[in-house]
Amino acid sequence: MDLAGKYDKTNLLGDGEVQVWRGRERSRGTPVLLHTFTGSPKLLLLATQYLLKKPASSPLLDIGEWEGATCLVTVSELDLLDVKAWLETAIASSPVPAPEPQPVNPR
């Protein structure tokens, strides 16, 4: 999904492997952070793993494309400026599913 029609970029906050932009959701004016990257398959894998376990109150709002780059959209919080570190922590701290009970073998 092309996110350029849904969000506005306002200013660049960080430039590196991931560019972090302050932005705003157009429909409601909600402030967001836009994390764009092109050469980080690990970050895309982390985002996918997180989305599979996504809690109801997730700060990860959207994932899509922005001008040919992958873009993760998060709430506008300082803790999320380093989205890769945040995803790693969120995945590591997510509850591990309980093992399925093994059938009892009557003798």
Side-chain angles (χ1 to χ4, degrees), residues 2-99:
D2 184 12
L3 300 175
K6 189 173 179 181
Y7 301 96
D8 288 319
K9 283 182 182 176
T10 55
N11 60 313
L12 183 63
L13 299 175
D15 195 10
E17 179 184 17
V18 178
Q19 286 188 335
V20 182
W21 295 83
R22 187 167 307 280
R24 192 163 295 284
E25 184 181 17
R26 289 183 178 178
S27 65
R28 291 184 272 165
T30 308
V32 295
L33 294 177
L34 303 158
H35 310 265
T36 60
F37 57 95
T38 54
S40 183
K42 177 166 172 73
L43 184 54
L44 188 54
L45 177 62
L46 287 169
T48 303
Q49 288 174 336
Y50 177 78
L51 287 173
L52 291 173
K53 300 175 183 184
K54 184 178 175 179
S57 61
S58 173
L60 181 58
L61 305 173
D62 223 340
I63 184 168
E65 185 176 306
W66 192 292
E67 299 172 355
T70 301
C71 182
L72 304 179
V73 181
T74 64
V75 297
S76 184
E77 293 180 9
L78 293 177
D79 293 353
L80 299 170
L81 285 174
D82 185 350
V83 73
K84 185 175 180 182
W86 177 81
L87 283 168
E88 289 171 338
T89 301
I91 290 167
S93 65
S94 68
V96 177

